[in-house]
Amino acid sequence: MKTQEIAVYREIQRNTEMAITAIDTISDKIYDDQLAMLISRQSLQYSQIHDQAVKELLDAKAELYHTGHLADMMLKGSIHCNTMLDTSTGHIAEIMIKGSNNGILEMSKILNHNEEAGEKPVALARRLLDFEEKNITHLKKYL
């Protein structure tokens, strides 16, 4: 597996792990049943994409992305601070939209810097990008 393919798969792994952590952190603050169901479905989809990227890395005997504890704590702390005074449905949706936007930006950067990555990792990355865009569309209804 080429280094550019590894870079794309690692970014998919990192991106989806952040999304799953964010959802796990924020899910107990959601009081709207429909939004809770939507976020739960998103978590499942992120897990499937994550597992596919990890499988490809493991099959190639490439090193996985390792999330730092500090980055994990910062993400969780940011969510807790952001929801300390406002746990309204609209605010939760806004936080999730911002996270998806950030995921789109980071994934787009990786794809632009790794143009020779190959068809399979790029297809998975595009699947993630499309999923993020659909998430934003669904979440906008809760603003």
Side-chain angles (χ1 to χ4, degrees), residues 89-95 97 136 138-143:
T89 300
H91 187 65
I92 299 287
E94 182 179 345
I95 291 169
I97 288 170
I136 291 169
H138 293 301
L139 288 165
K140 283 181 181 178
K141 297 172 187 169
Y142 294 93
L143 294 176

Side-chain angles (χ1 to χ4, degrees), residues 1 8-18 20 42-60 64 120 124 127-128:
M1 183 179 289
V8 172
Y9 282 130
R10 281 189 188 149
E11 178 57 27
I12 293 168
Q13 179 193 359
R14 186 193 72 78
N15 192 308
T16 53
E17 282 179 8
M18 283 187 69
I20 292 166
Q42 287 178 359
S43 181
L44 180 62
Q45 186 71 25
Y46 281 122
S47 294
Q48 291 171 348
I49 294 170
H50 172 271
D51 292 349
Q52 182 63 42
V54 168
K55 179 190 177 308
E56 294 296 333
L57 288 167
L58 290 174
D59 287 350
L64 299 176
K120 201 169 182 181
L124 187 60
R127 178 177 160 203
L128 176 59

